[in-house]
Amino acid sequence: MNILESVKMAGSTLLSNKLRSVLTMLGIVIGNASVIAMIGIGQGGQKYVNKQLESLGPNVLFIIPGNQETERVSRDVPKTLILEDAVAIASQVPTVAAVTAELNSRQVVTYRNRNTDVNIIGTTPSFLVVRDFETAKGRFFTDIDMKRSNQVVVLGADLAEKLFGNANPIGQQMRIKNASFQVIGVLTAKGSSIGADYDEAALTPVTTSANRLVGKTSPYGLEVTYIVASAKNSDSVDAAEFQITNLLRLRHKVIDENDFTIRAQKDALQTVGQITGALTIMLAAIAGISLIVGGIGIMNIMLVSVTERTQEIGLRKAIGATQQDILLQFIIEAVILSAAGGLLGTGIGIGGIMLVGALTPLEASISPVAIALAVGVSGGIGLFFGVVPARRAAKLDPIVALRSA
């Protein structure tokens, strides 16, 4: 017998037991679909998180008060950063394109009979550049607003809709805490990004926030929650971090450990990439276990098939079939089962990825490598687990096989 005849015979044998063949393939189908879907969803999750981090602004460096030791031993954030630090960074660090500072607090905002508790962000005019925002309506506050501590506010898109509905908020008066503020602008909607939702926030000049809402709590100057600096380009991030560190150590007269921490956006991207990559591999490995289970199922059914087809094997051997012919036929049957299950599982996995991409914000992607790997592994599993029953069938003595039948 040649290979083509063996394939035809294996196919006709499998088609004659359709239900058994489908149930045998089920483990491989589930395994392939799970592996492909998990890898695609994992890559989609990684893209989503990276996109959220990148939305914080290009080449961003976050300077926060305190260090890892103070974070470990105390929940109280030390007041070590002031607005003048941001001004010094902007004027003295050549690798920095723009710098802003933020002073955050929770306050109740009120417009007529509507009120809500929101995050009030006192910041500087360079906020738009550093954090990559634009105003959808009106304007952002200026250096003059900063110097005069003008009681003006720029609203996030969702907050503006919540307070004013479809009405134009520009020029309207609203209250923050017990002070009256004029709405001068509305930010473009951007969505939440890693714990920060500027669409639900209200922005005021940092001087206004300190004087009218929070109060000055640092004896060294106008305290800020953190400073955000944007490097000129991606190649300047490391140099900017080094220069900012040296400048702040001199300004704060630090001798030993820094009283601030600098966190680069690219470091966060690398960390998130490593975590999501590891999770994707773990999920794919867990899903891959079902491929092994499917292979064992194929072996079990093929062993049962050998027992049921003892008479057929004896007759074929009696008329001249060799051990190689019998071995080849049973191996081909196992490979057809696993390959067909792999292709069907691939289709289901791709469909699952497309469904997740349509119903969730995850940019789930179809990985050709994952498809090739899953189908290849499923075919290999069929070959591996098909060898045992095939060898058992090939070694049957034709006389014994005919007698037992």
Side-chain angles (χ1 to χ4, degrees):
M1 289 180 65
N2 58 34
I3 294 179
L4 183 60
E5 290 176 344
S6 297
V7 171
K8 288 181 179 179
M9 184 173 291
S12 62
T13 301
L14 294 174
L15 289 174
S16 64
N17 295 281
K18 295 183 180 65
L19 181 59
R20 175 191 290 181
S21 299
V22 170
L23 294 176
T24 304
M25 290 190 302
L26 194 57
I28 297 294
V29 170
I30 295 173
N32 267 56
S34 300
V35 169
I36 292 170
M38 289 300 99
I39 292 177
I41 293 171
Q43 291 177 343
Q46 186 172 358
K47 289 179 181 178
Y48 176 76
V49 174
N50 287 346
K51 186 177 180 180
Q52 292 295 301
L53 284 171
E54 289 171 356
S55 70
L56 297 175
N59 309 317
V60 165
L61 291 164
F62 292 91
I63 304 124
I64 59 177
N67 50 48
Q68 293 181 353
E69 180 64 20
T70 57
E71 291 177 1
R72 186 178 66 84
V73 301
S74 175
R75 293 183 180 179
D76 296 329
V77 178
K79 301 174 177 61
T80 57
L81 292 180
I82 57 176
L83 181 61
E84 285 72 17
D85 289 329
V87 174
I89 292 171
S91 61
Q92 299 180 39
V93 177
T95 52
V96 165
V99 180
T100 188
E102 295 187 19
L103 175 58
N104 296 348
S105 64
R106 298 291 300 187
Q107 306 288 348
V108 175
V109 299
T110 305
Y111 176 72
R112 294 181 178 174
N113 62 340
R114 301 172 185 173
N115 62 80
T116 183
D117 182 67
V118 301
N119 187 26
I120 305 297
I121 301 172
T123 187
T124 65
S126 55
F127 171 88
L128 294 180
V129 177
V130 177
R131 304 307 293 270
D132 195 24
F133 268 94
E134 294 179 354
T135 51
K137 297 178 181 178
R139 66 176 180 87
F140 205 71
F141 40 81
T142 63
D143 290 330
I144 295 176
D145 294 319
M146 281 268 297
K147 292 177 181 178
R148 296 178 179 176
S149 296
N150 288 340
Q151 293 179 208
V152 292
V153 62
V154 176
L155 303 178
D158 292 345
L159 179 59
E161 183 178 356
K162 185 181 295 184
L163 293 177
F164 295 92
N166 295 325
N168 185 8
I170 306 302
Q172 299 294 327
Q173 295 290 326
M174 58 179 288
R175 299 191 70 81
I176 302 178
K177 203 174 181 180
N178 295 319
S180 178
F181 282 75
Q182 183 184 35
V183 180
I184 61 170
V186 177
L187 294 175
T188 53
K190 200 170 186 179
S192 62
S193 58
I194 317 300
D197 189 357
Y198 288 95
D199 291 347
E200 287 280 355
L203 286 72
T204 67
V206 65
T207 50
T208 307
S209 187
N211 294 329
R212 306 292 185 185
L213 303 176
V214 179
K216 294 182 178 179
T217 56
S218 173
Y220 305 106
L222 196 159
E223 174 204 350
V224 294
T225 307
Y226 50 82
I227 297 171
V228 188
S230 177
K232 289 185 175 179
N233 51 58
S234 57
D235 297 329
S236 303
V237 173
D238 291 335
E241 183 176 353
F242 177 77
Q243 292 167 2
I244 291 171
T245 300
N246 288 339
L247 175 63
L248 292 183
R249 284 180 63 88
L250 288 172
R251 286 183 53 81
H252 296 185
K253 300 178 181 179
V254 173
I255 299 175
D256 297 319
E257 192 171 0
N258 295 336
D259 60 355
F260 58 89
T261 302
I262 300 179
R263 292 176 180 168
Q265 180 194 29
K266 67 170 188 174
D267 295 335
L269 286 169
Q270 290 175 355
T271 302
V272 168
Q274 292 172 354
I275 294 172
T276 53
L279 288 175
T280 301
I281 293 172
M282 183 185 71
L283 291 172
I286 293 172
I289 293 174
S290 59
L291 281 175
I292 306 298
V293 175
I296 294 173
I298 288 176
M299 183 174 67
N300 290 338
I301 296 300
M302 294 300 292
L303 286 172
V304 172
S305 180
V306 170
T307 303
E308 290 181 346
R309 295 160 62 187
T310 301
Q311 184 179 18
E312 175 196 333
I313 295 168
L315 286 172
R316 290 186 61 195
K317 282 198 166 187
I319 61 176
T322 63
Q323 285 192 5
Q324 184 177 0
D325 293 331
I326 304 297
L327 180 70
L328 183 62
Q329 182 185 349
F330 277 86
I331 288 179
I332 288 174
E333 288 182 19
V335 171
I336 289 175
L337 284 173
S338 59
L343 292 174
L344 182 58
T346 298
I348 295 174
I350 292 174
I353 291 174
M354 296 175 66
L355 185 64
V356 169
L359 299 179
T360 71
L362 298 181
E363 297 179 9
S365 58
I366 299 170
S367 171
V369 175
I371 293 173
L373 182 64
V375 174
V377 168
S378 63
I381 283 174
L383 180 63
F384 177 79
F385 284 100
V387 167
V388 173
R391 284 173 59 87
R392 181 176 176 179
K395 289 182 178 181
L396 283 177
D397 185 271
I399 304 300
V400 176
L402 289 171
R403 282 179 181 176
S404 62

